[in-house]
Amino acid sequence: MERTAVGGVTGPFPEPEVAELLDGMPRQRGPATAVRPLPAPVLPTPVGTTAPRTRPLRPWRLLPTPTGTPFTLAYAAVLAVTSLIAAYADPDLVHALHQGSSTDVAHLVRTPVLVLLASALWVAGGFLGPYTVGFLLVLTALERRIGGVRTALVFLTGHALATLATEVPVGLAVLVGHLPDSSLHRLDYGISFGVATGTGALAGLLRPWLRWPVLALFGGMLLQGLLNFTDPLTNWGHLISLAIGIAMWPIVRHWHAAHAKSGSVGRR
């Protein structure tokens, strides 16, 4: 190696371009490379927590789909068919079908299960009425949270209990003579009791900022109907149905947790 003089002193100094290299080590010739900083370590996500993520807006989830909400979609298809029959069939035939499906006292005494199911196949006021819109929105949201079978249980429970709560007093009133015998054959059918129960149950699964406005708006609408005194028995049934749905909050919240857990296990 050459000796170079630095400041009048002669000594064995490395060449400037290889000042960072070691003597006697092969394959070192070349300019010195800059030292790159190590990347910052990636800390693992603690167990039991998930990284926050923004969910995209998906408005189509408000309506039933074949894979996401099969029960609601199938039920809506049945209601569409019966609504077409009610709109275009012979009026005498439609009246006979409604009368045969009515959950009046006379039918409840003879065939309670049959008429409770049959009465829920018709939409009072037509398929484009407000309760049909409520049916689609409420049952879709409820089925996505607790599953189809449990949604059917909520709907049928409210439909049956509210019907009995309104028709049993009619039967007792006829029995003691406060109402005429014709009250035993009162026309009573439709999905409104089940929709009101579903609304009350769904409210228990919503965030508080949405839960209480929904209950206030829907409950206020039902109270307004009762104050109008157009059909007091049905209007009382709607309020009873809403109360049944609210009373089901503990069980629907349990179902919601179980449904979410089974869904996460199924996606693994």
Side-chain angles (χ1 to χ4, degrees):
M1 172 176 282
E2 296 181 353
R3 296 177 179 268
T4 57
V6 179
V9 180
T10 301
F13 292 95
E15 297 177 0
E17 66 272 15
V18 292
E20 296 292 332
L21 305 181
L22 297 176
D23 292 344
M25 297 296 292
R27 302 181 184 273
Q28 293 189 85
R29 297 301 176 184
T33 57
V35 179
R36 297 181 180 179
L38 294 176
V42 178
L43 299 177
T45 303
V47 177
T49 61
T50 57
R53 57 181 179 179
T54 303
R55 292 185 177 182
L57 184 63
R58 293 175 289 182
W60 60 88
R61 288 177 61 86
L62 297 175
L63 297 176
T65 58
T67 55
T69 56
F71 165 72
T72 304
L73 184 65
Y75 198 171
V78 172
L79 294 176
V81 172
T82 58
S83 297
L84 288 174
I85 294 173
Y88 297 105
D90 182 76
D92 292 335
L93 174 62
V94 173
H95 179 74
L97 292 173
H98 285 167
Q99 189 65 55
S101 304
S102 175
T103 50
D104 52 40
V105 176
H107 282 112
L108 287 172
V109 170
R110 295 196 301 266
T111 55
V113 177
L114 178 61
V115 294
L116 282 171
L117 294 176
S119 63
L121 301 179
W122 303 94
V123 180
F127 190 72
L128 299 180
Y131 275 101
T132 304
V133 177
F135 170 89
L136 292 174
L137 296 177
V138 169
L139 264 69
T140 296
L142 193 59
E143 185 172 359
R144 291 191 186 281
R145 287 165 171 80
I146 65 175
V149 175
R150 292 161 178 164
T151 299
L153 287 174
V154 171
F155 184 92
L156 292 175
T157 297
H159 175 73
L161 292 181
T163 298
L164 294 175
T166 52
E167 292 295 340
V168 169
V170 172
L172 294 176
V174 172
L175 187 63
V176 298
H178 291 313
L179 288 176
D181 291 346
S182 59
S183 301
L184 299 176
H185 304 279
R186 190 179 73 93
L187 198 60
D188 186 15
Y189 63 89
I191 59 172
S192 59
F193 289 175
V195 173
T197 303
T199 302
L202 176 63
L205 303 178
L206 301 177
R207 296 180 182 273
W209 66 267
L210 182 59
R211 175 189 308 147
W212 303 117
V214 166
L215 287 177
L217 182 63
F218 189 69
M221 182 184 71
L222 298 183
L223 285 173
Q224 183 63 42
L226 182 63
L227 293 176
N228 290 338
F229 213 72
T230 53
D231 188 356
L233 204 59
T234 299
N235 293 329
W236 273 114
H238 290 154
L239 288 171
I240 293 171
S241 302
L242 180 63
I244 292 172
I246 294 174
M248 297 181 74
W249 281 4
I251 190 170
V252 294
R253 285 170 174 169
H254 173 72
W255 285 345
H256 176 51
H259 184 72
K261 183 178 180 180
S262 64
S264 63
V265 171
R267 289 191 296 268
R268 289 180 182 177

